[in-house]
Amino acid sequence: MIDLSVDLAGIRMKNPVMVASGTFACGREYSEITDLSKLGAVVTKAVTLKRREGNSPPRICETPSGILNSIGLQNKGVDCFLREDLPFLRGFDIPVIVNVAGDDIEEYVAVSRRLSEAKVDGVELNVSCPNVKRGGMIFGTDAVAVAEVVSAVKKAIGVPLIVKLSPNVTDITEMARSAVDAGADVLSLINTVVGMTIDTDGFKPGLATVTGGLSGPAIRPIAVRMVWQVAQAVEVPIIGMGGIVEARDAVEFLLAGATAIAVGTANFMNPSAALEIIEGLEGFLRGKGYRSIGEIVGRVQA
Amino acid sequence: MIDLSVDLAGIRMKNPVMVASGTFACGREYSEITDLSKLGAVVTKAVTLKRREGNSPPRICETPSGILNSIGLQNKGVDCFLREDLPFLRGFDIPVIVNVAGDDIEEYVAVSRRLSEAKVDGVELNVSCPNVKRGGMIFGTDAVAVAEVVSAVKKAIGVPLIVKLSPNVTDITEMARSAVDAGADVLSLINTVVGMTIDTDGFKPGLATVTGGLSGPAIRPIAVRMVWQVAQAVEVPIIGMGGIVEARDAVEFLLAGATAIAVGTANFMNPSAALEIIEGLEGFLRGKGYRSIGEIVGRVQA
Amino acid sequence: MHRVKARVESNAKVVHGVHRLRLSSSEIALEAEPGQFVHVLCGENRDYILRRPFSVHRVQNGSFDLLIQVVGKGTTYLSQLESGDALDIMGPIGRGFEFTGNFEKSLLVAGGIGVAPLVFLAERLREDGKETHFLYGAATREGLVCLEDLSTVVQKVFSVTEDGSFGYEGLLTEFFGEAFQEYNPDRIFACGPEEMLRKVAESTAGTVPCQVSLERKMACGIGACLSCVCRTREGYRRVCVDGPVFDASEIIW
Amino acid sequence: MHRVKARVESNAKVVHGVHRLRLSSSEIALEAEPGQFVHVLCGENRDYILRRPFSVHRVQNGSFDLLIQVVGKGTTYLSQLESGDALDIMGPIGRGFEFTGNFEKSLLVAGGIGVAPLVFLAERLREDGKETHFLYGAATREGLVCLEDLSTVVQKVFSVTEDGSFGYEGLLTEFFGEAFQEYNPDRIFACGPEEMLRKVAESTAGTVPCQVSLERKMACGIGACLSCVCRTREGYRRVCVDGPVFDASEIIW
Ligand SMILES: Cc1cc2nc3c(=O)[nH]c(=O)nc-3n(C[C@H](O)[C@H](O)[C@H](O)COP(=O)(O)OP(=O)(O)OC[C@H]3O[C@@H](n4cnc5c(N)ncnc54)[C@H](O)[C@@H]3O)c2cc1C
Ligand SMILES: Cc1cc2nc3c(=O)[nH]c(=O)nc-3n(C[C@H](O)[C@H](O)[C@H](O)COP(=O)(O)OP(=O)(O)OC[C@H]3O[C@@H](n4cnc5c(N)ncnc54)[C@H](O)[C@@H]3O)c2cc1C
Ligand SMILES: Cc1cc2nc3c(=O)[nH]c(=O)nc-3n(C[C@H](O)[C@H](O)[C@H](O)COP(=O)(O)O)c2cc1C
Ligand SMILES: Cc1cc2nc3c(=O)[nH]c(=O)nc-3n(C[C@H](O)[C@H](O)[C@H](O)COP(=O)(O)O)c2cc1C
Ligand code: FES
Ligand code: FES
C-alpha cells in the first residue's frame, strides 16, 4: 500500500489532490460524472459576504496552452453558501476548503468568521484575484496589505488559514514570508497571471474586462518556479497549482516542494483529471519504489 | 501600396518586424536560408565588454507552447562583435540594433559607448536577463536601478536608446516610466518570464541554472497585456514581443500599442517567420482597407 | 448527462466546410432533446485545451449526428476524423427548446449553421403533429445545407440567400416580417448569429412566444465555471445549463 | 544547408517503436555526409514547438532515410506519417564524421538507435575500401534493428544485448575491450547514449583516435541560439554546427 495521505496544518486529506477554486464551483455539477468522495479535498469558488454579479461577458478566451478568464466574483454570498452548498459538500466526507474574497479587510474577516463558525475544514484567502477592480488586487501584490488582511482573519477564525498568493509580483518569497509571519498556516500558489488577448478582426479585447487571468499548462513553468522559491523561503506547507493536467505535472510540484496540489483548468478538459492524477501518483510512487507521498516532497536536486 | 515603414525614435525601418535578441545571433546562420535585407531590423544577441562563457548546459527545455532557456550571456565581447559581426550585418542595409548586457553600470556604459562610436543604429539595454546571477536581474526589477543605468548610458551615447523591460515585476508601468524619465527613447517588451521545470525521472531541474526564461506562444497574453499597459503609461514608441508566431499575433501587439514588433522563439520553428509576418501584415492591412501600419497602432477598443 | 467515448460511425462532407459526424452513443441518443448540446474534446492536444460545444442535430437508434461548420482548430480536427475513431464527449447538456406547450403553428428560424438543432426540433414537432414552417437563411445556396432534409419534415421552407443564388436575396432578418405574415405562427424557435436572434426577438416581442438558442464560449460546459453567462432579466445566467435555449423575453441583448 | 518541404516516400515500421522514414529531397540526399543531421518540424503544432534533430541514416538517389525511435510527441507524430505527406526539414546540418584520414581499420560502436548515422558511415567506408568492424549493442535482439543491413556492409558485427537474446549478454561497454582486442582498429567512430560514449572515449584515450556523435536538446539547430552546447577543451561548443561529431579528446565529459 502506498500512503498518499497528507496533513495540511491539521487538514487531513487521504491524498494530496484537490480541485482549484473557481474551476469546480461547489462540486455539484461535477458530482454527476465524477466521484467527489475520492478527492483529497474540494476548494470552492470564491465566496463573498453578499451576492455578487461578477464581470460582464465575454469572460473567457483561449490562448496557446491556456485560457484567460475574468469571471470576477460571481457568487451567491456566504449565507446562501452555508445554506445550500456546504451541506451538499459535507455529504462526501472530504475536507471542504472555502475560498474567500472581499473588497476590504472587514469583508474578508466577516466571511471567514462565518465559515469558521460553520466549521469548514479550512479557509483559503483569495488575496490575489486579478479580476476584481476594487480592492482584491492590491492585497495580493503588496506585502504589507497581505500581512494586514491575513492577521486580521487569523484572529477571527479557529480553522486552518490558507493564503493564496498572486504570481503577479516581483518577488513571490516576500509575499510568502509576509503571509506566514502574519499567521498563514498554509500557502496556495499560484493564482492566475494577468494577461490579455485582442480579437484582430473586431479590434476588441477578448475579455470585456480587457485583462484577465491566465491559467492552464502555459503557466506551469512559472508556477513550479514560484513553488520552489517559496518552499526555500518558508516552513509552512504549500498547495501547488498552475497547469497541472496529469500525474507527472503534479509530481513536478511535489518535487519543487508542494505538500499538496490542486487541479484547475484541467477539469474543463477532463472532468476526471483529479481522480486520474491520484491514480497516477500512486503508480508513480510504486514504480519508483516509494511508500509514501511525503518521500518526494521537495526532493528536486537543485 | 501599403506603407509598412516605421520610425522608432529616428531608427527608420522599412517595416515594423525585427528579430528578437538572442534568437537570431548576429544573423549569419540565418542568412543562408532567409533574406535578412527584407527585415525591418536585426537585434543582436547580448554583447558584453569581455568574452563570456555563458551558463552550464542543459540550457534549454520545452514547456507547453513555450521554451525555457538559460543561455546566459555567452558572447565574444564587444571588440570581437565590432570586428567580426557588425561589418557582416552592415552588408544588408537594414538597421542594426545591438543588445547590451553587463554586470554593473560601468560595463553597460562602456559597451554602449563603443557601439555608439561605431554608429550602430540603436542600443538595446538588456536590463532584464533572468539568466545572469550577478547584477542583471536587479536592474530590471527595481525602478531606481533601471533609472540609474538608463541615464548613465543615455549620457554616453549618441544613438537611439532602447530599454528592454523585464516582465517579472509587479508593475510594469512603473519600470516603463522610470526608464522613459531617465532617457529611454524606445521601450522593448517583454523579455522572458522566469520559469522552471523538473524532470520527474531524474528529479533534476530541466536547466542547469534551475530557473530560466520562458518564451514562446505561452507568454503572449502576458506580453500583450504589458504592452497595452505601458502604451497607456508612456509616450515613447514600443517594440512588442513575446510569442509572436504569425501575422495575426503581430497585429495583436500593434493594436495594443506597439509601433514595431520582434519575432523570437518562432525563428526556431520557422526561420522565415519574420518574413512571412511582413507579408502577412501587408495582406492584413490591405484586407481591412488600411494604407499604412501606423493606422492600427494602439487601436484596440479597450 | 454522461461522459462517453463515442465511436465515429461516419464523417460525411455535406458541402465544402460542413461535415456531418455520426457518433455512436445510445445514452446520448436516448436522452437528447432538441436544443441540447454535447461538449466535445477535440483531440489530446495541449495547444487549444477547451472542449467545443455542438448541438445535437439528429438522433437515430443508438447514435446521433452533429452538423459541424469548420471555422477553427477544433472543428478542423473533427472534420478529419475517420470511421472508427473515438471521441470524448459529454452530454446531452442544457435546457433545450420547450415545445410541449399549447400551440398550433410554429415558425423555425435558422441562420447558417444554426439550422443544426432546428432539424431535430422540426422532427419532434412533426411527431407531435404540429404544423411547422421554416425560415432558412445562409450566404449562398450551398450554405442551405439541410434544405433537402427539411423538405420532408416541415410544411414549408422560406429560403433566403445573401447572394440571391436561391430563394429570396438578402438577409434573413429582412424577410422575417414577410414569413411571419405568411405563416402566422404562434411560436417562434430561432438559432443563428446573435444579431439575427436579437432582431427576431425584437420583431416578435409582445406578439408570440419566441425561444432563442444562444452561443457563448464555454469552458466547463456543465455549469461550474460561470464563463458562459448571458445577461438576462434575472441577472447573469449560464448559457450551458440555464440555456442554451432561453425565452427571448428574458434576454437583455 | 537547405530548407525543404520533403515528401514522405515511405514509412516502414522496422520493429515495434522504430520507424524508417524515406524522404525525398535531392538537395539533402546529394549533400549529406555521414554524421550530419536534419532538423525536422514535427507538425504545425503549437503545443511542443521545437524542431527535432535526426541523423541522416542512409541516402539514395534523390531521397534519404531517417531511422526513428519513438520516444515522445515529436517522434510519435513522425511515426504516423503516410506516403505523400510533406515534412518541413532543414539540413544537412553539422560537422559529420571525419573519415578521409589515413587509417586502415575502423571500429564503429553503436548503442541502440545510435546506429542510425553509423550505417551511412559504414557504407562510405566500404566505398573507400576500408576494413570496418561493428560493435553493436541494444537491450534486446529486436533492438538491433540494422543487423541485416550491416552484414553486407561491414566485415564483422560484434553484437551485445542486455538480455542476452542475441550475441553477448550485458552492456556494450563491457565488451568494448574484447572487441577492440579482436579487431585492433586504428579509428573509432561511436554514437549512442552519452554514458556509453564517455566510457568508449576513456578506453581509447591516448591509443587510437576516437570520434563521438553527441546529442543535445536543440532549438535553432543552425548555430544561432547557443542552447545545445557541450563542454570542450576550447570552452562551450555548439553540438549542432561545431558537432554533432567531435573528437573524443576535445570533450570534457
Ligand atoms: C450551445 C452551442 C451549440 C453549438 N452548435 C453548433 C453546431 O451544431 N454546429 C456548429 O458548427 N457549431 C456549433 N456551435 C459553435 C461551435 O461551438 C464553434 O464553432 C466551435 O467551438 C469552434 O471551434 P474551433 O476550434 O473550430 O474554432 P476557434 O475559433 O479556433 O475556437 C476558439 C474558441 O472559441 C470558441 N468558439 C468559437 N466559435 C464559437 C461559437 N460560435 N460559439 C461558442 N464558442 C465558440 C471555441 O469553443 C474555442 O473555445 C455551437 C456553439 C454553442 C455554444
Ligand atoms: C544530432 C542528433 C541526431 C539524432 N539522431 C537520431 C536518430 O537518427 N534517430 C532517433 O531516433 N533519434 C535521434 N536523435 C534523438 C532525437 O532527436 C530525439 O529522440 C527526439 O528529438 C525526441 O523527440 P520527441 O518529441 O519524440 O521526444 P520528447 O521527449 O517529447 O522531446 C522533448 C524535447 O527534448 C528533445 N529531446 C528528447 N530526446 C532527445 C535526444 N536524445 N537528443 C536531443 N534532443 C532530445 C526534443 O528534441 C524536444 O525538444 C538525435 C539527436 C541529435 C541531437
Ligand atoms: C474560471 C476560473 C475561475 C477561477 N476562480 C477563482 C476563484 O474564485 N478564487 C481563486 O482563488 N482562484 C480562482 N481561480 C484560479 C485557480 O484556482 C488556479 O489558481 C489557477 O487557475 C491556476 O491553476 P490551473 O492552471 O490549474 O487552472 C480561477 C481559475 C479559473 C480558470
Ligand atoms: C534562446 C534565447 C536567448 C535570448 N537571449 C536574449 C538576449 O541575449 N538579450 C535579450 O535582451 N533577450 C534575449 N532573449 C529574449 C528574447 O529576445 C525575447 O524578448 C523573448 O524570448 C520573448 O519573445 P519570444 O516569445 O518571441 O521569444 C532570448 C530569448 C531566447 C529564447
Ligand atoms: S461553461 Fe462553465 S458554466 Fe457554462
Ligand atoms: S541549437 Fe541553436 S546553437 Fe545549436
Side-chain angles (χ1 to χ4, degrees), chain A residues 125-262:
Chain A
L125 287 196
N126 174 4
V127 292
S128 51
C129 181
N131 299 326
V132 188
K133 285 283 152 57
R134 300 179 284 165
M137 192 64 184
I138 196 77
F139 291 130
T141 59
D142 177 60
V144 178
V146 165
E148 273 180 58
V149 67
V150 171
S151 65
V153 170
K154 179 71 183 175
K155 275 180 219 126
I157 66 174
V159 297
L161 175 57
I162 303 166
V163 177
K164 183 158 175 182
L165 299 179
S166 165
N168 303 291
V169 295
T170 306
D171 182 0
I172 190 78
T173 63
E174 187 197 352
M175 301 299 143
R177 267 187 293 254
S178 176
V180 170
D181 291 346
D185 300 306
V186 178
L187 296 178
S188 251
L189 55 150
I190 62 175
N191 210 314
T192 54
V193 181
V194 182
M196 168 178 179
T197 64
I198 301 174
D199 164 17
T200 54
D201 278 322
F203 288 21
K204 286 215 196 85
L207 300 176
T209 50
V210 184
T211 62
L214 185 63
S215 65
I219 66 167
R220 194 166 62 233
I222 304 174
V224 170
R225 182 260 295 185
M226 290 190 168
V227 166
W228 179 73
Q229 289 177 322
V230 169
Q232 317 297 301
V234 301
E235 298 289 319
V236 304
I238 294 170
I239 307 170
M241 73 198 75
I244 296 176
V245 174
E246 54 187 34
R248 290 264 167 186
D249 307 336
V251 171
E252 269 197 83
F253 282 85
L254 296 169
L255 291 173
T259 298
I261 62 97

Side-chain angles (χ1 to χ4, degrees), chain C residues 17-232:
Chain C
V18 180
H19 285 246
R20 183 173 42 232
L21 217 54
R22 181 155 298 177
L23 299 162
S24 72
S25 163
S26 43
E27 297 96 322
I28 294 177
L30 210 66
E31 293 179 22
E33 291 291 331
Q36 287 192 301
F37 70 96
V38 293
H39 210 33
V40 182
L41 190 67
C42 299
E44 292 297 318
N45 204 299
R46 297 286 154 76
D47 173 354
Y48 57 99
I49 58 181
L50 295 178
R51 287 168 179 260
R52 271 65 173 139
F54 297 95
S55 304
V56 176
H57 170 48
R58 291 186 115 158
V59 300
Q60 300 85 29
N61 233 333
S63 69
F64 65 98
D65 291 358
L66 302 181
L67 190 69
I68 293 171
Q69 179 158 42
V70 180
V71 298
K73 291 182 185 180
T75 48
T76 299
Y77 170 85
L78 296 176
S79 73
Q80 291 166 348
L81 289 173
E82 293 171 12
S83 318
D85 289 345
L87 212 52
D88 179 341
I89 291 188
M90 290 158 65
I93 307 177
R95 223 180 57 170
F97 295 103
E98 170 54 54
F99 59 96
T100 55
N102 190 10
F103 65 95
E104 309 273 300
K105 265 198 291 185
S106 60
L107 176 61
L108 277 48
V109 185
I113 199 71
V115 74
L118 293 177
V119 172
F120 189 10
L121 176 64
E123 289 176 338
R124 285 291 164 90
L125 290 172
R126 189 186 52 176
E127 286 169 23
D128 292 356
K130 305 276 188 188
E131 184 181 335
T132 309
H133 300 278
F134 213 99
L135 173 59
Y136 191 7
T140 63
R141 167 66 185 88
E142 264 229 311
L144 297 169
V145 289
C146 292
L147 214 46
E148 283 69 37
D149 294 347
L150 284 172
S151 64
T152 65
V153 188
V154 302
Q155 267 68 30
K156 260 193 183 164
V157 182
F158 190 120
S159 301
V160 184
T161 57
E162 286 173 42
D163 68 353
S165 53
F166 190 81
Y168 291 84
E169 177 172 344
L171 289 174
L172 179 153
T173 44
E174 295 166 22
F175 296 92
F176 179 75
E178 198 173 323
F180 191 86
Q181 289 260 313
E182 188 174 331
Y183 304 126
N184 194 25
D186 50 6
R187 277 292 186 289
I188 309 279
F189 301 96
C191 185
E194 187 145 328
E195 188 55 20
M196 176 202 105
L197 296 178
R198 190 178 61 79
K199 286 198 173 136
V200 167
E202 282 169 5
S203 318
T204 58
T207 58
V208 301
C210 171
Q211 292 171 36
V212 294
S213 178
L214 297 185
E215 290 188 3
R216 284 291 180 281
K217 291 193 181 174
M218 293 179 180
C220 72
I222 60 172
C225 72
L226 308 179
S227 65
C228 63
V229 298
C230 65
R231 230 186 153 74
T232 75

Side-chain angles (χ1 to χ4, degrees), chain B residues 22-25 29-30 32-33 45 51 53-57 59-67 71 74 215-217 245-246 265 268-272 276, chain D residues 1-3 39 41 44-52 88 90 216-231 234-238 241:
Chain B
T23 62
F24 214 75
E29 293 78 9
Y30 281 97
E32 243 187 275
I33 39 175
K45 168 87 186 137
R51 175 193 166 83
E53 274 289 294
N55 293 325
S56 303
R59 292 179 171 183
I60 197 158
C61 53
E62 259 185 326
T63 71
S65 294
I67 59 175
I71 309 300
Q74 180 172 346
S215 65
V245 174
E246 54 187 36
T265 301
F268 305 150
M269 310 157 66
N270 174 8
S272 323
E276 288 171 18
Chain D
M1 196 249 303
H2 306 274
R3 180 177 177 202
H39 210 33
L41 190 67
E44 293 296 319
N45 204 297
R46 296 286 154 77
D47 173 353
Y48 58 100
I49 59 182
L50 293 179
R51 288 169 178 258
R52 269 68 171 136
D88 180 340
M90 290 158 65
R216 284 292 180 282
K217 292 195 180 173
M218 294 180 179
C220 73
I222 60 171
C225 72
L226 309 179
S227 64
C228 63
V229 298
C230 65
R231 231 182 153 75
E234 299 169 42
Y236 290 130
R237 302 196 67 194
R238 299 163 298 182
V241 292

Side-chain angles (χ1 to χ4, degrees), chain B residues 20-23 45-46 67 69 71 73 99 124 126 164 190-192 215-216 219 241-244 262-266 268, chain D residues 225:
Chain B
S21 176
T23 62
K45 168 87 186 137
I67 59 175
N69 90 79
I71 309 300
L73 296 177
N99 188 268
E124 182 179 68
N126 175 5
K164 184 158 176 182
I190 61 175
N191 211 314
T192 53
S215 65
I219 67 167
M241 73 198 76
I244 297 176
V263 179
T265 301
F268 305 150
Chain D
C225 72

